[in-house]
Amino acid sequence: MGHSRRRRVEEVIAHEVLLLAVLLTVALVQTTLLPRPFDMPFNLLLLLTICHGLIAGTTSAARWAFYGGLALDLCALTLLGLHALALLAGVIAAAQALLRLSRDNWLVPVAGVALGSLVYHVVYAVLSMLLVAPVDVQEYGLYVLLPDTLVATIPSLPVYLVFRWYDDRVRQRVPVDVL
């Protein structure tokens, strides 16, 4: 019987606040500490949320994307919700498109991050054009979308394997009837 009790509201709120604090820290690291070779920032939050979504599923990934997107909006001083909506679209598109593939397939994270990054940048560019300022689509695609997608795709397999290893370890400690 041991693990069949439901979590109290305080535990759920504490877990969500902790997740928000961790994602805010990641957003701060991404916007301030990570190097920017050729003035191109590394989109760490996108990589982490897509890899998490491929492991944990769309619902959990949507929470990560929403919290992380709002944190990124606050840290980057952009219009509130701009990164959140783009990150949500990218994560949900990648997780849903690759939902039926095996977790053991090593092409899943590479394809997922490439697809998620593409959707993220398209949604971000469209929202920026509608809400902020006109965007030159050709320059955005050549100087932002393509390099950021390539840079995010390179470490996708190791990050995915770390998430999968951690998820397997957690599943081994918790009885199956709880999950």
Side-chain angles (χ1 to χ4, degrees), residues 48-167:
L48 293 177
T49 54
I50 289 174
C51 287
H52 174 71
L54 294 173
I55 297 292
T58 309
T59 306
S60 180
R63 274 192 5 256
W64 275 46
F66 181 70
Y67 293 160
L70 288 179
L72 197 55
D73 286 329
L74 291 174
C75 293
L77 298 175
T78 58
L79 191 61
L80 193 62
L82 198 63
H83 284 286
L85 289 174
L87 201 55
L88 269 168
V91 168
I92 290 172
Q96 287 298 314
L98 302 172
L99 184 65
R100 302 212 185 271
L101 296 178
S102 170
R103 285 176 28 147
D104 297 329
N105 187 344
W106 286 18
L107 290 177
V108 167
V110 175
V113 170
L115 176 66
S117 180
L118 178 70
V119 171
Y120 168 81
H121 283 293
V122 167
V123 169
Y124 187 80
V126 168
L127 289 174
S128 294
M129 281 191 288
L130 294 174
L131 300 174
V132 180
V135 174
D136 184 11
V137 176
Q138 186 176 7
E139 285 185 13
Y140 186 83
L142 186 61
Y143 297 117
V144 177
L145 186 141
L146 185 62
D148 189 49
T149 301
L150 290 175
V151 167
T153 304
I154 292 168
S156 63
L157 182 59
V159 170
Y160 178 79
L161 291 175
V162 168
F163 276 149
R164 194 177 75 183
W165 170 81
Y166 179 75
D167 188 57

